[in-house]
Amino acid sequence: MTYTGDGYDLPGGEENEKIAIKHKDEVIKATKDYLMKEYNIDVDVHNMVGNQDGVTVFFETTGRLHFYSTAIVPIDSTTKEILLDDVWTLDGRIENSIRGALYAYINEEPFKELDREMDAVGQRYDIVGRSLESLQNVGGGGYNTPFYHVTSTKDDMAMKPVYDLYFHNPDSTKEALMAAYDSTKFDATYVLINIEGFMKNETTEPDQEAFDKMEEMVKENNKLPLGTYKLFLHDGYVQKNKGSGLKMNSIKYSTPIIKDN
């Protein structure tokens, strides 16, 4: 999968992107300062894409909790001034990403098993995941690996004490975070695991046999993380302006697979 994020755009953002690039260092500093102040996370900024009201900044966390997400730095359309003190994030985007990253962090072995399974399917059927560059440049989707991304929503009561502990004490040990998890309140509805594969050869149609193997693996392997799984298999072509592989010929599982025990 050769797509790196080039060509990705947002409506009405061309002029604002030019302004942001001219003031790149200021935009990056404002983003980093905001995220450290509001969420106590340090990040690397990988990309900036203009939008109608400013610039969307794509970043990756650098601490022990790993995820990709975005922040928005507004630009005054009249004065062309970058509003460095008014950085904001989409409602719930960062919180959901932190919860998803925490879920993966305290379930390290189940996610290693998922990694192994997807690597095996990939090698057998010539399937690849997203490139690292595309995750960095236009990812912005929480806890991401090339083959899947994970989100835990605000209604995930099992994760709530873990999130609260981490938010108030980011230096909490892994053992303390694991102990805070309340499995009695687990509801798979609120843990979303989206698996997405691409055919290695751009001109090859999605392989039904490969998709069936992915489905079988998720349903039958009880060592995988618990949650609600959605499966997608695309050909190798990515719509560059959207960063999406989803097309009419994509194979997807019509009903999510629930793993709750």
Side-chain angles (χ1 to χ4, degrees):
M1 204 268 214
T2 58
Y3 176 67
T4 63
D6 290 343
Y8 183 90
D9 63 26
L10 295 169
E14 185 175 342
E15 290 304 314
N16 283 336
E17 187 166 321
K18 292 177 183 177
I19 296 170
I21 289 173
K22 286 183 181 179
H23 301 274
K24 179 179 178 180
D25 290 345
E26 297 168 62
V27 171
I28 290 175
K29 184 178 186 304
T31 301
K32 290 170 71 76
D33 289 350
Y34 171 82
L35 294 169
M36 178 57 69
K37 177 183 176 183
E38 295 296 323
Y39 298 102
N40 199 32
I41 55 174
D42 197 10
V43 305
D44 282 337
V45 170
H46 291 297
N47 195 20
M48 300 186 299
V49 178
N51 61 57
Q52 188 170 0
D53 300 311
V55 60
T56 299
V57 180
F58 291 82
F59 65 81
E60 174 183 7
T61 59
T62 59
R64 60 175 172 160
L65 285 193
H66 185 255
F67 62 88
Y68 302 91
S69 197
T70 57
I72 294 99
V73 181
I75 296 176
D76 188 303
S77 59
T78 303
T79 65
K80 310 302 182 184
E81 178 187 3
I82 301 175
L83 306 178
L84 299 172
D85 295 328
D86 296 327
V87 181
W88 59 284
T89 56
L90 295 173
D91 186 35
R93 172 71 62 90
I94 307 297
E95 292 85 349
N96 288 355
S97 296
I98 291 174
R99 274 187 291 266
L102 280 167
Y103 186 69
Y105 184 64
I106 66 174
N107 289 282
E108 184 177 359
E109 289 306 316
F111 278 100
K112 282 184 178 179
E113 179 70 9
L114 180 56
D115 292 335
R116 284 191 289 267
E117 288 279 21
M118 285 307 303
D119 286 342
V121 172
Q123 290 178 22
R124 180 175 176 183
Y125 295 99
D126 276 345
I127 292 171
V128 296
R130 291 188 174 275
S131 67
L132 177 61
E133 292 82 2
S134 72
L135 291 177
Q136 292 174 335
N137 291 328
V138 296
Y143 179 79
N144 275 79
T145 73
F147 278 117
Y148 60 86
H149 73 266
V150 182
T151 301
S152 164
T153 73
K154 66 180 180 180
D155 295 317
D156 185 354
M157 292 298 104
M159 279 298 298
K160 186 178 187 305
V162 184
Y163 177 84
D164 290 345
L165 174 60
Y166 178 80
F167 198 81
H168 292 104
N169 183 13
D171 295 324
S172 296
T173 65
K174 185 174 186 177
E175 291 73 21
L177 293 167
M178 292 173 68
Y181 185 74
D182 187 354
S183 60
T184 65
K185 294 183 179 177
F186 174 77
D187 186 332
T189 305
Y190 306 123
V191 179
L192 310 176
I193 303 173
N194 284 11
I195 296 177
E196 193 170 28
F198 299 80
M199 302 309 296
K200 188 174 183 178
N201 187 326
E202 188 172 295
T203 61
T204 302
E205 288 290 304
D207 187 328
Q208 184 66 54
E209 182 181 344
F211 184 85
D212 292 344
K213 185 64 178 177
M214 289 166 55
E215 177 192 342
E216 175 187 308
M217 175 268 293
V218 172
K219 286 182 173 179
E220 296 186 3
N221 189 336
N222 292 325
K223 296 180 181 178
L224 299 182
L226 301 181
T228 297
Y229 286 75
K230 292 184 179 180
L231 309 181
F232 302 86
L233 183 59
H234 314 296
D235 61 23
Y237 178 74
V238 176
Q239 300 176 73
K240 292 184 177 181
N241 63 326
K242 298 179 180 179
S244 173
L246 186 63
K247 297 178 288 297
M248 290 295 291
N249 66 345
S250 295
I251 305 174
K252 55 184 178 179
Y253 200 72
S254 57
T255 304
I257 301 170
I258 306 296
K259 291 186 74 72
D260 55 9
N261 56 55

